[in-house]
């Protein structure tokens, strides 16, 4: 009954802060799904963060707790939704191992994220096995909760597809109906599904082009000042090209007046400085309540939230594992 109201999603804790791409692509939808009565499982993927850390993981526990604080600050209510850390629920590791027995290597080698990350880690001798298996662990994260849907940004679509394929393959091989296909809940609005960074590449921690949820109003102002705008718009009267301008892209997300701002930008009736000033005010106002909630959250608060979150997660995960072990003949 409650099964088809379940939603699972996760974020890697490669650093202690989430950016507005994480928020627009996923977290904002998590909060909306919670408000429309879904049973939310909001996970910090600390094991996934290790795939690119190469031993440099002393801060892993700290980062994971800080990311969990961002979830709560953004509006995830721990009384209704489970907020938990992946490594606290060991069933994720067990299902990952079992699914690795039925996942064809070809599916993983073809994964576009794998190809991208392979380049970053520097050669096969340094490439961890965990990087290739990344989508299998992600699939375990999802299938453990047998969710209705998974809210994520556009970049996660290939992982979600592999996940559904693995689930269906499991059902077929073991002649069970444990895993129904889940929905991909990606924002329809493309500039929310893939939020550009301050330099107009994709917003990403690794490009250092982010506005973080926890940035102060002054830090936000400084970042917006240096954001990429239409290069050929040197004077106010030069025509702007909002599609290629980071500031205009953010106005489209956050400003109720973006249509007027865009048409004035195009017509040369407003300059980039005015756009930047208005955007700074709107963004700082939008994130003010979150920043206040975040500042009020203590380490003790988040510890309690994570303990009860892991308990809620484990209750569902262990039920799924019983079915999986039985299907595979393990007892
Ligand atoms: P991660 O940590 O890279 O990103 C977390 C979420 O933020 C979204 N996102 C963006 N959305 C729009 N624009 C951007 N510039 C942008 N950057 C990031 C991502 O799409 C994602 O929704 N593999 C996952 C973590 C994960 C997971 C899971 C997700 C582990 N297990 C199970 C869903 C279900 C990842 O690395 O996301």
């Amino acid at each position: 009954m409650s099964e088809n109201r379940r939603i699972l999603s996760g974020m890697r804790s490669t650093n202690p802060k989430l950016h507005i791409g994480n928020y627009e692509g996923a977290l904002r939808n998590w909060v909306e799904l919670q408000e429309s009565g879904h049973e939310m499982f909001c996970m910090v993927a600390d094991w996934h963060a290790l795939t690119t850390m190469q031993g440099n993981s002393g801060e892993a526990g700290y980062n994971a707790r800080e990311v969990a604080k961002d979830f709560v600050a953004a509006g995830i209510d721990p009384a209704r939704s489970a907020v938990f850390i992946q490594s606290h629920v060991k069933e994720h590791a067990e299902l990952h191992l079992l699914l690795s027995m039925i996942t064809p290597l070809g599916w993983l080698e073809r994964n576009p994220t794998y190809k991208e990350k392979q380049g970053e880690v520097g050669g096969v001798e340094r490439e961890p096995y965990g990087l290739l298996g990344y989508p299998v662990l992600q699939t375990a994260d999802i299938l453990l909760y047998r969710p209705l849907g998974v809210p994520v940004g556009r970049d996660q679509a290939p992982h979600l597809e592999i996940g559904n394929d693995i689930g269906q393959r499991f059902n077929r091989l073991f002649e069970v109906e444990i895993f129904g296909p889940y929905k991909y809940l990606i924002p329809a609005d493309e500039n929310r599904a893939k939020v550009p960074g301050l330099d107009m590449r994709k917003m990403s921690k690794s490009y250092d082009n982010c506005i973080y949820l926890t940035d102060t109003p002054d830090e936000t102002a400084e970042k917006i000042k240096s954001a990429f705008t239409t290069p050929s718009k040197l004077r106010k009267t030069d025509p702007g090209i909002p599609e290629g301008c980071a500031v205009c892209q953010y106005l489209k997300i956050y400003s109720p007046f973006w249509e007027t701002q865009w048409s004035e930008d195009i017509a040369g009736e407003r300059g980039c400085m005015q756009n930047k000033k208005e955007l700074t005010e709107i963004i700082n106002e939008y994130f003010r309540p979150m920043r206040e909630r975040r500042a009020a959250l203590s380490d003790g608060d988040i510890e309690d939230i994570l303990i009860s979150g892991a308990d809620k997660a484990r209750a569902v995960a262990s039920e799924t594992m019983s079915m999986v072990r039985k299907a595979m003949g393990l007892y």
Side-chain angles (χ1 to χ4, degrees), residues 8-14 18-27 30 43 45 48 86 117 134 137-139 141-142 150-157 159-160 187 191-197 201-205:
L8 171 289
S9 193
M11 308 239 179
R12 266 176 313 153
S13 46
T14 34
L18 296 181
H19 54 66
I20 64 173
N22 300 134
Y23 178 72
E24 291 301 330
L27 189 48
W30 300 8
M43 182 190 76
H48 276 112
Q86 186 183 36
K117 291 269 176 343
Y134 186 114
L137 179 56
Q138 181 158 346
T139 301
D141 298 337
I142 298 170
V150 183
V152 288
R154 167 87 53 225
D155 61 348
Q156 293 301 307
H159 289 154
L160 298 197
N191 70 339
R192 286 187 54 209
K194 186 181 173 188
V195 176
R201 292 188 289 173
K202 182 191 147 201
M203 187 174 284
S204 163
K205 295 160 210 173

CSV table of all heavy atoms in Angstrom, one decimal, residues 8-14 18-27 30 43 45 48 86 117 134 137-139 141-142 150-157 159-160 187 191-197 201-205, ligand 1:
chain,number,residue,atom,x,y,z
A,8,LEU,N,13.1,7.5,-3.2
A,8,LEU,CA,14.5,7.5,-2.7
A,8,LEU,C,15.3,8.4,-3.6
A,8,LEU,O,15.2,8.3,-4.8
A,8,LEU,CB,15.0,6.0,-2.7
A,8,LEU,CG,16.5,5.7,-2.5
A,8,LEU,CD1,17.4,6.1,-3.6
A,8,LEU,CD2,17.0,6.2,-1.1
A,9,SER,N,16.2,9.1,-3.0
A,9,SER,CA,17.3,9.8,-3.8
A,9,SER,C,18.5,10.0,-2.9
A,9,SER,O,18.4,9.8,-1.7
A,9,SER,CB,16.8,11.1,-4.4
A,9,SER,OG,17.7,11.5,-5.4
A,10,GLY,N,19.6,10.4,-3.5
A,10,GLY,CA,20.8,10.6,-2.7
A,10,GLY,C,21.7,11.6,-3.3
A,10,GLY,O,21.6,12.0,-4.5
A,11,MET,N,22.6,12.1,-2.5
A,11,MET,CA,23.7,13.1,-3.0
A,11,MET,C,25.0,12.6,-2.4
A,11,MET,O,25.1,12.3,-1.2
A,11,MET,CB,23.4,14.5,-2.4
A,11,MET,CG,22.0,15.0,-2.6
A,11,MET,SD,22.0,16.5,-3.6
A,11,MET,CE,20.2,16.8,-3.7
A,12,ARG,N,26.0,12.7,-3.2
A,12,ARG,CA,27.4,12.4,-2.8
A,12,ARG,C,27.9,13.5,-1.8
A,12,ARG,O,27.7,14.6,-2.1
A,12,ARG,CB,28.3,12.3,-4.0
A,12,ARG,CG,28.5,11.0,-4.6
A,12,ARG,CD,29.4,11.1,-5.8
A,12,ARG,NE,29.0,12.2,-6.6
A,12,ARG,CZ,29.8,12.9,-7.4
A,12,ARG,NH1,31.0,12.6,-7.5
A,12,ARG,NH2,29.3,13.8,-8.2
A,13,SER,N,28.7,13.0,-0.8
A,13,SER,CA,29.2,14.0,0.1
A,13,SER,C,30.7,14.2,-0.2
A,13,SER,O,31.6,14.0,0.7
A,13,SER,CB,29.0,13.6,1.6
A,13,SER,OG,29.3,12.2,1.7
A,14,THR,N,31.0,14.5,-1.5
A,14,THR,CA,32.4,14.7,-1.8
A,14,THR,C,33.0,16.0,-1.1
A,14,THR,O,34.2,16.2,-1.0
A,14,THR,CB,32.6,14.9,-3.3
A,14,THR,OG1,31.5,15.6,-3.9
A,14,THR,CG2,32.8,13.6,-4.0
A,18,LEU,N,26.2,21.7,-0.4
A,18,LEU,CA,25.5,21.5,-1.6
A,18,LEU,C,25.3,22.8,-2.4
A,18,LEU,O,25.3,23.9,-1.7
A,18,LEU,CB,24.1,20.9,-1.3
A,18,LEU,CG,24.1,19.6,-0.6
A,18,LEU,CD1,22.6,19.1,-0.4
A,18,LEU,CD2,24.8,18.5,-1.5
A,19,HIS,N,25.3,22.7,-3.7
A,19,HIS,CA,25.1,24.0,-4.5
A,19,HIS,C,23.7,24.1,-5.1
A,19,HIS,O,22.9,23.2,-5.0
A,19,HIS,CB,26.2,24.0,-5.5
A,19,HIS,CG,26.3,22.8,-6.5
A,19,HIS,ND1,25.3,22.5,-7.3
A,19,HIS,CD2,27.3,21.9,-6.6
A,19,HIS,CE1,25.7,21.4,-8.0
A,19,HIS,NE2,26.9,21.0,-7.6
A,20,ILE,N,23.5,25.2,-5.7
A,20,ILE,CA,22.1,25.4,-6.2
A,20,ILE,C,21.7,24.5,-7.4
A,20,ILE,O,20.6,24.3,-7.6
A,20,ILE,CB,21.8,26.9,-6.5
A,20,ILE,CG1,22.7,27.4,-7.7
A,20,ILE,CG2,22.0,27.8,-5.3
A,20,ILE,CD1,22.3,28.9,-8.1
A,21,GLY,N,22.7,23.9,-8.0
A,21,GLY,CA,22.4,22.8,-9.0
A,21,GLY,C,21.8,21.6,-8.3
A,21,GLY,O,20.8,21.1,-8.7
A,22,ASN,N,22.4,21.2,-7.2
A,22,ASN,CA,21.9,20.1,-6.4
A,22,ASN,C,20.5,20.4,-5.9
A,22,ASN,O,19.6,19.6,-5.9
A,22,ASN,CB,22.7,19.8,-5.1
A,22,ASN,CG,24.2,19.4,-5.4
A,22,ASN,OD1,25.1,20.0,-4.8
A,22,ASN,ND2,24.4,18.6,-6.4
A,23,TYR,N,20.3,21.7,-5.5
A,23,TYR,CA,19.0,22.1,-5.0
A,23,TYR,C,17.9,22.1,-6.1
A,23,TYR,O,16.9,21.5,-6.0
A,23,TYR,CB,19.1,23.5,-4.4
A,23,TYR,CG,17.8,24.0,-3.9
A,23,TYR,CD1,17.2,23.4,-2.7
A,23,TYR,CD2,17.1,25.0,-4.5
A,23,TYR,CE1,16.0,23.9,-2.3
A,23,TYR,CE2,15.9,25.4,-4.1
A,23,TYR,CZ,15.3,24.9,-3.0
A,23,TYR,OH,14.1,25.3,-2.5
A,24,GLU,N,18.2,22.8,-7.2
A,24,GLU,CA,17.2,22.9,-8.3
A,24,GLU,C,17.0,21.5,-9.0
A,24,GLU,O,15.9,21.2,-9.4
A,24,GLU,CB,17.7,23.9,-9.3
A,24,GLU,CG,17.6,25.3,-8.8
A,24,GLU,CD,16.2,25.8,-8.4
A,24,GLU,OE1,15.2,25.3,-8.9
A,24,GLU,OE2,16.2,26.6,-7.4
A,25,GLY,N,18.1,20.8,-9.2
A,25,GLY,CA,17.9,19.5,-9.9
A,25,GLY,C,17.2,18.5,-9.1
A,25,GLY,O,16.5,17.6,-9.7
A,26,ALA,N,17.4,18.5,-7.8
A,26,ALA,CA,16.9,17.4,-7.0
A,26,ALA,C,16.2,17.8,-5.7
A,26,ALA,O,15.0,17.6,-5.5
A,26,ALA,CB,18.0,16.4,-6.7
A,27,LEU,N,17.0,18.5,-4.8
A,27,LEU,CA,16.5,18.7,-3.4
A,27,LEU,C,15.1,19.5,-3.4
A,27,LEU,O,14.3,19.2,-2.5
A,27,LEU,CB,17.6,19.5,-2.7
A,27,LEU,CG,17.5,19.7,-1.2
A,27,LEU,CD1,17.1,18.4,-0.4
A,27,LEU,CD2,18.8,20.3,-0.7
A,30,TRP,N,12.6,17.1,-3.9
A,30,TRP,CA,12.4,16.2,-2.7
A,30,TRP,C,11.4,16.8,-1.7
A,30,TRP,O,10.5,16.2,-1.2
A,30,TRP,CB,13.7,16.0,-1.9
A,30,TRP,CG,14.8,15.3,-2.7
A,30,TRP,CD1,14.9,15.0,-4.0
A,30,TRP,CD2,16.1,14.9,-2.1
A,30,TRP,NE1,16.1,14.5,-4.3
A,30,TRP,CE2,16.9,14.4,-3.1
A,30,TRP,CE3,16.6,14.9,-0.8
A,30,TRP,CZ2,18.1,13.9,-2.9
A,30,TRP,CZ3,17.9,14.4,-0.6
A,30,TRP,CH2,18.6,13.9,-1.6
A,43,MET,N,19.1,10.2,1.2
A,43,MET,CA,20.4,9.6,1.6
A,43,MET,C,21.6,10.4,1.2
A,43,MET,O,21.7,11.0,0.1
A,43,MET,CB,20.4,8.2,0.8
A,43,MET,CG,21.6,7.4,1.1
A,43,MET,SD,21.8,6.0,0.0
A,43,MET,CE,22.4,6.9,-1.5
A,45,ALA,N,25.2,9.9,0.1
A,45,ALA,CA,26.0,8.8,-0.5
A,45,ALA,C,27.5,8.9,-0.1
A,45,ALA,O,28.3,9.4,-0.9
A,45,ALA,CB,25.7,8.7,-2.0
A,48,HIS,N,29.7,6.4,-2.2
A,48,HIS,CA,29.9,6.9,-3.5
A,48,HIS,C,31.0,8.0,-3.6
A,48,HIS,O,31.7,8.1,-4.5
A,48,HIS,CB,28.6,7.4,-4.2
A,48,HIS,CG,27.8,6.3,-4.8
A,48,HIS,ND1,26.5,6.0,-4.2
A,48,HIS,CD2,27.9,5.5,-5.8
A,48,HIS,CE1,26.0,5.0,-5.0
A,48,HIS,NE2,26.9,4.7,-5.9
A,86,GLN,N,24.3,6.6,3.9
A,86,GLN,CA,24.4,5.3,3.2
A,86,GLN,C,25.2,4.2,4.0
A,86,GLN,O,24.7,3.1,4.2
A,86,GLN,CB,25.1,5.5,1.8
A,86,GLN,CG,25.2,4.4,0.9
A,86,GLN,CD,26.0,4.8,-0.3
A,86,GLN,OE1,27.0,5.6,-0.2
A,86,GLN,NE2,25.6,4.3,-1.5
A,117,LYS,N,34.7,10.0,-15.7
A,117,LYS,CA,35.5,9.9,-14.5
A,117,LYS,C,36.8,9.2,-14.7
A,117,LYS,O,37.8,9.5,-14.0
A,117,LYS,CB,34.7,9.2,-13.4
A,117,LYS,CG,33.5,10.0,-12.9
A,117,LYS,CD,33.9,10.9,-11.7
A,117,LYS,CE,33.0,11.9,-11.1
A,117,LYS,NZ,31.8,12.4,-11.6
A,134,TYR,N,30.1,1.8,-9.7
A,134,TYR,CA,29.3,2.9,-9.2
A,134,TYR,C,27.8,2.7,-9.4
A,134,TYR,O,27.0,2.8,-8.5
A,134,TYR,CB,29.9,4.2,-9.8
A,134,TYR,CG,29.3,5.5,-9.2
A,134,TYR,CD1,30.1,6.3,-8.5
A,134,TYR,CD2,28.0,5.8,-9.4
A,134,TYR,CE1,29.7,7.5,-8.0
A,134,TYR,CE2,27.5,7.0,-9.0
A,134,TYR,CZ,28.3,7.9,-8.2
A,134,TYR,OH,27.8,9.0,-7.7
A,137,LEU,N,26.1,0.1,-7.2
A,137,LEU,CA,25.9,0.5,-5.8
A,137,LEU,C,24.7,1.5,-5.8
A,137,LEU,O,23.8,1.4,-5.0
A,137,LEU,CB,27.1,1.2,-5.2
A,137,LEU,CG,27.0,1.8,-3.8
A,137,LEU,CD1,26.5,0.7,-2.8
A,137,LEU,CD2,28.3,2.4,-3.4
A,138,GLN,N,24.6,2.4,-6.8
A,138,GLN,CA,23.5,3.3,-6.9
A,138,GLN,C,22.2,2.5,-7.1
A,138,GLN,O,21.1,2.9,-6.5
A,138,GLN,CB,23.7,4.3,-8.0
A,138,GLN,CG,22.6,5.3,-8.1
A,138,GLN,CD,22.9,6.6,-8.8
A,138,GLN,OE1,24.1,6.9,-9.0
A,138,GLN,NE2,22.0,7.4,-9.2
A,139,THR,N,22.2,1.5,-7.9
A,139,THR,CA,21.0,0.6,-8.1
A,139,THR,C,20.6,0.0,-6.8
A,139,THR,O,19.4,-0.1,-6.5
A,139,THR,CB,21.3,-0.4,-9.2
A,139,THR,OG1,21.7,0.2,-10.4
A,139,THR,CG2,20.1,-1.3,-9.4
A,141,ASP,N,21.1,1.2,-3.8
A,141,ASP,CA,20.5,2.3,-3.0
A,141,ASP,C,19.0,2.4,-3.4
A,141,ASP,O,18.2,2.6,-2.5
A,141,ASP,CB,21.2,3.6,-3.4
A,141,ASP,CG,22.6,3.7,-3.0
A,141,ASP,OD1,23.1,2.9,-2.2
A,141,ASP,OD2,23.3,4.5,-3.7
A,142,ILE,N,18.7,2.3,-4.7
A,142,ILE,CA,17.4,2.6,-5.1
A,142,ILE,C,16.5,1.4,-4.9
A,142,ILE,O,15.4,1.5,-4.2
A,142,ILE,CB,17.4,2.9,-6.6
A,142,ILE,CG1,18.2,4.2,-6.9
A,142,ILE,CG2,15.9,3.1,-7.1
A,142,ILE,CD1,18.4,4.5,-8.4
A,150,VAL,N,12.5,8.3,-8.5
A,150,VAL,CA,13.8,8.8,-8.0
A,150,VAL,C,14.0,10.2,-8.5
A,150,VAL,O,14.2,10.4,-9.7
A,150,VAL,CB,14.9,7.9,-8.5
A,150,VAL,CG1,16.3,8.3,-7.9
A,150,VAL,CG2,14.7,6.4,-8.1
A,151,PRO,N,13.9,11.2,-7.7
A,151,PRO,CA,14.1,12.6,-8.2
A,151,PRO,C,15.6,13.0,-8.2
A,151,PRO,O,16.3,13.0,-7.2
A,151,PRO,CB,13.4,13.4,-7.1
A,151,PRO,CG,13.3,12.6,-5.9
A,151,PRO,CD,13.5,11.2,-6.3
A,152,VAL,N,16.0,13.3,-9.4
A,152,VAL,CA,17.5,13.7,-9.7
A,152,VAL,C,17.6,14.7,-10.8
A,152,VAL,O,16.6,15.0,-11.5
A,152,VAL,CB,18.3,12.4,-10.1
A,152,VAL,CG1,18.5,11.4,-9.0
A,152,VAL,CG2,17.6,11.7,-11.3
A,153,GLY,N,18.8,15.2,-11.0
A,153,GLY,CA,19.1,16.1,-12.1
A,153,GLY,C,19.3,15.2,-13.4
A,153,GLY,O,19.5,14.0,-13.3
A,154,ARG,N,19.4,15.9,-14.5
A,154,ARG,CA,19.5,15.3,-15.8
A,154,ARG,C,20.7,14.3,-15.9
A,154,ARG,O,20.7,13.3,-16.5
A,154,ARG,CB,19.6,16.3,-16.9
A,154,ARG,CG,20.0,15.9,-18.3
A,154,ARG,CD,18.9,15.3,-19.2
A,154,ARG,NE,17.8,16.3,-19.3
A,154,ARG,CZ,16.5,15.9,-19.2
A,154,ARG,NH1,16.2,14.7,-19.0
A,154,ARG,NH2,15.6,16.8,-19.3
A,155,ASP,N,21.8,14.7,-15.2
A,155,ASP,CA,23.1,14.0,-15.4
A,155,ASP,C,23.0,12.5,-14.8
A,155,ASP,O,23.8,11.7,-15.1
A,155,ASP,CB,24.3,14.7,-14.7
A,155,ASP,CG,24.0,14.9,-13.2
A,155,ASP,OD1,22.9,14.7,-12.7
A,155,ASP,OD2,25.0,15.3,-12.5
A,156,GLN,N,21.9,12.3,-14.0
A,156,GLN,CA,21.8,10.9,-13.4
A,156,GLN,C,21.0,10.0,-14.2
A,156,GLN,O,20.9,8.8,-13.9
A,156,GLN,CB,21.2,11.1,-12.0
A,156,GLN,CG,22.0,11.8,-11.0
A,156,GLN,CD,23.4,11.0,-10.8
A,156,GLN,OE1,23.4,9.9,-10.5
A,156,GLN,NE2,24.5,11.8,-10.9
A,157,ALA,N,20.4,10.5,-15.3
A,157,ALA,CA,19.5,9.6,-16.2
A,157,ALA,C,20.2,8.3,-16.6
A,157,ALA,O,19.6,7.2,-16.4
A,157,ALA,CB,19.0,10.4,-17.4
A,159,HIS,N,22.4,6.5,-15.1
A,159,HIS,CA,22.5,5.6,-13.9
A,159,HIS,C,21.1,5.0,-13.6
A,159,HIS,O,21.0,3.9,-13.2
A,159,HIS,CB,23.0,6.4,-12.7
A,159,HIS,CG,24.5,6.7,-12.7
A,159,HIS,ND1,25.0,7.8,-12.0
A,159,HIS,CD2,25.5,6.2,-13.4
A,159,HIS,CE1,26.3,7.8,-12.3
A,159,HIS,NE2,26.6,6.9,-13.1
A,160,LEU,N,20.1,5.9,-13.7
A,160,LEU,CA,18.8,5.4,-13.4
A,160,LEU,C,18.3,4.3,-14.4
A,160,LEU,O,17.6,3.4,-14.1
A,160,LEU,CB,17.7,6.5,-13.4
A,160,LEU,CG,17.9,7.6,-12.3
A,160,LEU,CD1,16.7,8.4,-12.1
A,160,LEU,CD2,18.4,7.1,-11.0
A,187,PRO,N,13.5,17.4,-13.3
A,187,PRO,CA,12.7,18.7,-13.6
A,187,PRO,C,12.5,18.9,-15.1
A,187,PRO,O,13.4,18.7,-15.9
A,187,PRO,CB,13.6,19.8,-13.1
A,187,PRO,CG,14.5,19.1,-12.1
A,187,PRO,CD,14.7,17.7,-12.6
A,191,ASN,N,16.7,24.3,-17.6
A,191,ASN,CA,17.8,25.0,-16.8
A,191,ASN,C,17.7,24.7,-15.3
A,191,ASN,O,18.6,25.1,-14.5
A,191,ASN,CB,17.8,26.5,-17.1
A,191,ASN,CG,16.7,27.3,-16.6
A,191,ASN,OD1,15.6,26.7,-16.3
A,191,ASN,ND2,16.8,28.6,-16.4
A,192,ARG,N,16.7,23.9,-14.9
A,192,ARG,CA,16.8,23.4,-13.5
A,192,ARG,C,17.3,21.9,-13.5
A,192,ARG,O,18.0,21.5,-12.6
A,192,ARG,CB,15.3,23.4,-12.9
A,192,ARG,CG,14.9,24.8,-12.5
A,192,ARG,CD,13.5,24.6,-11.7
A,192,ARG,NE,13.7,23.7,-10.6
A,192,ARG,CZ,12.6,23.0,-10.1
A,192,ARG,NH1,11.4,23.1,-10.7
A,192,ARG,NH2,12.8,22.2,-9.1
A,193,ALA,N,17.0,21.2,-14.6
A,193,ALA,CA,17.5,19.8,-14.7
A,193,ALA,C,19.0,19.8,-14.8
A,193,ALA,O,19.7,18.9,-14.4
A,193,ALA,CB,16.9,19.1,-15.9
A,194,LYS,N,19.6,20.9,-15.4
A,194,LYS,CA,21.0,21.0,-15.6
A,194,LYS,C,21.4,22.5,-15.4
A,194,LYS,O,21.4,23.3,-16.3
A,194,LYS,CB,21.5,20.5,-17.0
A,194,LYS,CG,22.9,20.5,-17.1
A,194,LYS,CD,23.3,20.0,-18.5
A,194,LYS,CE,24.8,20.1,-18.7
A,194,LYS,NZ,25.2,19.9,-20.1
A,195,VAL,N,21.6,22.9,-14.1
A,195,VAL,CA,21.9,24.3,-13.8
A,195,VAL,C,23.3,24.6,-14.2
A,195,VAL,O,24.2,23.9,-13.9
A,195,VAL,CB,21.7,24.5,-12.3
A,195,VAL,CG1,22.0,25.9,-11.9
A,195,VAL,CG2,20.3,24.2,-11.8
A,196,PRO,N,23.4,25.7,-15.0
A,196,PRO,CA,24.8,26.1,-15.4
A,196,PRO,C,25.5,26.7,-14.2
A,196,PRO,O,24.9,27.3,-13.3
A,196,PRO,CB,24.5,27.2,-16.5
A,196,PRO,CG,23.2,27.7,-16.2
A,196,PRO,CD,22.4,26.6,-15.6
A,197,GLY,N,26.8,26.6,-14.3
A,197,GLY,CA,27.7,27.2,-13.3
A,197,GLY,C,27.9,28.7,-13.6
A,197,GLY,O,27.5,29.2,-14.6
A,201,ARG,N,29.6,26.5,-17.7
A,201,ARG,CA,29.7,25.0,-17.8
A,201,ARG,C,28.6,24.5,-16.9
A,201,ARG,O,28.0,25.2,-16.1
A,201,ARG,CB,31.1,24.5,-17.5
A,201,ARG,CG,32.1,24.9,-18.5
A,201,ARG,CD,33.5,24.3,-18.2
A,201,ARG,NE,34.1,24.8,-17.0
A,201,ARG,CZ,35.2,24.3,-16.4
A,201,ARG,NH1,35.8,23.3,-16.9
A,201,ARG,NH2,35.7,24.9,-15.3
A,202,LYS,N,28.4,23.2,-16.8
A,202,LYS,CA,27.5,22.6,-15.8
A,202,LYS,C,28.0,23.0,-14.4
A,202,LYS,O,29.2,22.9,-14.1
A,202,LYS,CB,27.5,21.1,-15.9
A,202,LYS,CG,26.5,20.4,-15.0
A,202,LYS,CD,26.7,18.9,-15.0
A,202,LYS,CE,26.4,18.4,-13.6
A,202,LYS,NZ,26.9,17.1,-13.3
A,203,MET,N,27.1,23.4,-13.5
A,203,MET,CA,27.5,23.7,-12.1
A,203,MET,C,28.0,22.4,-11.5
A,203,MET,O,27.2,21.4,-11.4
A,203,MET,CB,26.4,24.3,-11.3
A,203,MET,CG,26.8,24.8,-9.9
A,203,MET,SD,25.6,25.7,-9.0
A,203,MET,CE,25.7,27.3,-9.7
A,204,SER,N,29.2,22.4,-11.0
A,204,SER,CA,29.8,21.2,-10.4
A,204,SER,C,30.9,21.6,-9.4
A,204,SER,O,31.7,22.5,-9.7
A,204,SER,CB,30.3,20.4,-11.6
A,204,SER,OG,31.2,19.4,-11.1
A,205,LYS,N,30.9,20.8,-8.3
A,205,LYS,CA,31.9,21.1,-7.3
A,205,LYS,C,33.3,21.0,-7.9
A,205,LYS,O,34.2,21.8,-7.6
A,205,LYS,CB,31.9,20.0,-6.2
A,205,LYS,CG,30.6,20.0,-5.4
A,205,LYS,CD,30.3,18.7,-4.6
A,205,LYS,CE,28.9,18.5,-4.5
A,205,LYS,NZ,28.5,17.2,-3.9
B,1,LIG,P1,25.6,14.1,-7.1
B,1,LIG,O1,26.1,14.1,-5.7
B,1,LIG,O2,26.6,14.4,-8.2
B,1,LIG,O3,24.4,15.2,-7.3
B,1,LIG,C1,23.3,15.2,-6.4
B,1,LIG,C2,22.1,15.6,-7.2
B,1,LIG,O4,22.2,16.9,-7.7
B,1,LIG,C3,22.0,16.8,-9.1
B,1,LIG,N1,22.9,17.8,-9.8
B,1,LIG,C4,22.4,18.8,-10.6
B,1,LIG,N2,21.2,19.0,-11.0
B,1,LIG,C5,21.1,20.1,-11.9
B,1,LIG,N3,22.1,20.9,-12.3
B,1,LIG,C6,23.4,20.6,-11.8
B,1,LIG,N4,24.4,21.4,-12.2
B,1,LIG,C7,23.6,19.5,-11.0
B,1,LIG,N5,24.6,19.0,-10.4
B,1,LIG,C8,24.2,17.9,-9.6
B,1,LIG,C9,22.3,15.4,-9.5
B,1,LIG,O5,21.6,15.1,-10.7
B,1,LIG,C10,21.8,14.6,-8.3
B,1,LIG,O6,20.4,14.4,-8.4
B,1,LIG,N6,25.2,9.3,-8.2
B,1,LIG,C11,24.5,10.4,-7.5
B,1,LIG,C12,24.3,10.1,-6.0
B,1,LIG,C13,23.5,8.9,-5.7
B,1,LIG,C14,22.1,8.7,-6.0
B,1,LIG,C15,21.8,7.4,-5.4
B,1,LIG,C16,21.1,9.4,-6.6
B,1,LIG,C17,24.0,7.8,-5.0
B,1,LIG,N7,23.0,6.9,-4.9
B,1,LIG,C18,20.5,6.8,-5.6
B,1,LIG,C19,19.8,8.9,-6.7
B,1,LIG,C20,19.6,7.6,-6.2
B,1,LIG,C21,25.4,11.6,-7.6
B,1,LIG,O7,26.6,11.5,-7.8
B,1,LIG,O8,24.8,12.8,-7.4
